[in-house]
Amino acid sequence: MFNSRPTPTPASSSRKPSGHASGIGAGGPTTPPGMLRRSTTAPAEVARIQRRTVRILASAQVLGGVAFGATLSLGVLLTAAVAGDDALGGLATAALGIGTAVLAIPLAGMARRYGRRWSLTTGMLAALAGVALVVAATAIHSLPLLLLAFALVGGGQATNLQSRFAATDLATPLDRGRSLSLVVWATTIGVVLGPNLIAPGEALGRLVGMPPLTGPYLFTIVAQLLGVAVYVVGLRPDPLLLAQRLTAQSSASARAEIARTDRPVVARYAIFTLAAAHAVMVALMAMTPVHLQHHGATLPIIGLTMSLHVAGMYAASPVFGILADRWGRRATITLGQGLLAVSLVTAWLGADDMVAITVALILLGLGWSASTVAASALLTEASAEGLRTRRQGVSDAAMSMVGAVGAIVAGFVLAWIGYSGLACSALALVALPVVLIPLARTPRP
């Protein structure tokens, strides 16, 4: 799956840059805006830039979370209404996942070549175009155009996923999990706020003559525009380009040590764990609004339930980041899978109980968070510098693709054996990462 040899690093730190970005490769592009144009190798200066980078990424994640939270809550309902079939509601989440998967690898390649700043900005702009198309597709009642729109919105999700890896570009092994988790945590504010903007957004949408259920996307558009501005203005110097420059300036022995520590088997396990946890989370989460609607829940109740779920996904991530750094990645992954299992059992046994479903959704978010934070840190440290960005892109694509498939399958499983059967069948995907965890043996950072 992976080439175990890292991409060759540019030679010689003693030679001054000649208009090409160091660390990108011979014949690379002219140094992009935002790249450090002088040598900045002092550890204290790098640490300062890392702290600022995490703050900028966290700020943008708040805004991205507003857009993501509203999209998740409304997408299934909009698609079911346009398609005229509740079983097809999961196509919205599927389209979002496919779009994220398709865009994740190109955006990772753009990050490798031009830096995180332009990659993250491009993803946000794609999502902005997608949101505008969602409103247009709903107005003309076009299911194909609506699914295309949600696929473009996947650019925003690809950006959110890549942001957590951007937080690790300049991190040390001892604080990698914490840095990553702080950016994940920042999403909490947006994704909790987003679903609760449904009711006021609908009122605002009616005032301006928007189609039903699309009013909240007015808030999404504003949040996306602000997020673009944060990335363009704030992400300077670019953390990935600076990390590449520092690697290029390191000694030959240091670069050889980076290459020696590459562990492709561990990286494959981390990607599998990320994909499995995401598939479980998306499958249950995507069908919960439809299930609750069938049980008479109102839009505000559905929005509150989804808010609590996404709070579970993001709010406790710093705790899991600290645990991943202190306990180790494997122990935290095991904890996450245990939380997912308890969530599914709760949903299985309490499918007709609103309180039980809410508890299950919170636990589902917590389990996803623990597994995602720990496995993302594991993937980063198991990959040599020359392979890291590409593997991160593959990871995001894999997560999104299995999430898309899970959402499609979940819709038919819900129609076939109900919400309880859906929760029970997802337990198999929880067991596999635990069984395969010996593959993740790696020295503790």
Side-chain angles (χ1 to χ4, degrees):
M1 181 175 180
F2 300 124
N3 180 359
S4 61
R5 293 183 177 274
T7 303
T9 339
S12 183
S13 62
S14 60
R15 190 169 52 205
K16 293 183 179 180
S18 58
H20 290 79
S22 297
I24 297 180
T30 302
T31 304
M35 179 177 177
L36 221 60
R37 296 180 184 275
R38 60 184 177 84
S39 176
T40 306
T41 56
E45 178 68 4
V46 173
R48 183 192 67 79
I49 295 171
Q50 166 66 0
R51 289 192 297 271
R52 182 177 184 277
T53 296
V54 170
R55 288 196 299 268
I56 293 298
L57 291 169
S59 299
Q61 284 293 90
V62 171
L63 297 165
V66 171
F68 183 53
T71 299
L72 280 177
S73 300
L74 290 172
V76 174
L77 300 177
L78 270 176
T79 305
V82 171
D85 187 345
D86 287 341
L88 298 179
L91 290 177
T93 308
L96 183 68
I98 291 171
T100 306
V102 169
L103 292 170
I105 293 177
L107 287 175
M110 179 181 289
R112 184 73 185 166
R113 189 170 178 83
Y114 299 109
R116 300 286 190 189
R117 179 169 165 247
W118 294 116
S119 174
L120 297 174
T121 298
T122 300
M124 289 286 267
L125 289 173
L128 187 60
V131 171
L133 271 182
V134 167
V135 178
T138 304
I140 64 175
H141 220 67
S142 171
L143 181 60
L145 185 60
L146 183 63
L147 296 180
L148 174 62
F150 280 121
L152 283 174
V153 172
Q157 174 66 345
T159 297
N160 290 344
L161 291 172
Q162 189 182 129
S163 291
R164 76 192 195 281
F165 287 126
T168 68
D169 289 334
L170 296 172
T172 68
L174 294 178
D175 67 357
R176 184 172 288 127
R178 177 178 170 274
S179 297
L180 185 152
S181 65
L182 286 174
V183 173
V184 174
W185 172 84
T187 314
T188 308
I189 301 171
V191 294
V192 171
L193 180 62
N196 288 291
L197 292 175
I198 291 176
E202 268 296 276
L204 183 60
R206 283 194 296 271
L207 286 176
V208 298
M210 295 179 68
L213 295 177
T214 62
Y217 287 114
L218 290 172
F219 297 120
T220 299
I221 290 171
V222 173
Q224 293 280 21
L225 287 171
L226 291 173
V228 167
V230 168
Y231 283 133
V232 171
V233 175
L235 209 57
R236 297 167 180 262
D238 191 283
L240 182 57
L241 296 183
L242 176 55
Q244 291 171 343
R245 186 184 186 106
L246 294 175
T247 299
Q249 292 173 343
S250 64
S251 65
S253 60
R255 291 197 295 273
E257 175 63 17
I258 291 173
R260 188 189 65 78
T261 58
D262 186 62
R263 293 177 175 83
V265 173
V266 176
R268 291 189 192 106
Y269 170 80
I271 291 174
F272 174 78
T273 299
L274 287 164
H278 195 67
V280 170
M281 188 274 292
V282 169
L284 195 65
M285 176 201 67
M287 291 299 104
T288 297
V290 174
H291 179 69
L292 291 177
Q293 193 176 53
H294 285 169
H295 282 68
T298 62
L299 279 179
I301 292 296
I302 293 172
L304 176 62
T305 302
M306 298 307 292
S307 292
L308 292 173
H309 164 64
V310 295
M313 288 175 65
Y314 300 110
S317 56
V319 175
F320 297 128
I322 292 170
L323 292 179
D325 287 337
R326 294 185 180 178
W327 289 3
R329 318 311 186 202
R330 293 195 300 162
T332 309
I333 288 171
T334 303
L335 171 63
Q337 298 306 114
L339 289 169
L340 288 175
V342 174
S343 164
L344 294 175
V345 170
T346 303
W348 174 18
L349 300 177
D352 296 324
D353 187 326
M354 183 67 195
V355 174
I357 291 174
T358 302
V359 170
L361 266 287
I362 294 171
L363 291 172
L364 185 73
L366 290 171
W368 177 89
S369 181
S371 296
T372 298
V373 167
S376 296
L378 181 65
L379 172 62
T380 299
E381 66 198 16
S383 302
E385 194 279 331
L387 296 169
R388 191 170 296 153
T389 309
R390 186 182 357 151
R391 287 181 183 171
Q392 290 168 350
V394 169
S395 168
D396 290 345
M399 284 179 68
S400 304
M401 188 58 71
V402 299
V405 173
I408 294 172
V409 173
F412 293 103
V413 172
L414 181 69
W416 178 35
I417 55 177
Y419 195 73
S420 293
L422 173 64
C424 183
S425 60
L427 283 168
L429 277 178
V430 174
L432 285 172
V434 177
V435 172
L436 297 174
I437 206 163
L439 297 176
R441 287 197 181 100
T442 187
R444 185 174 175 177

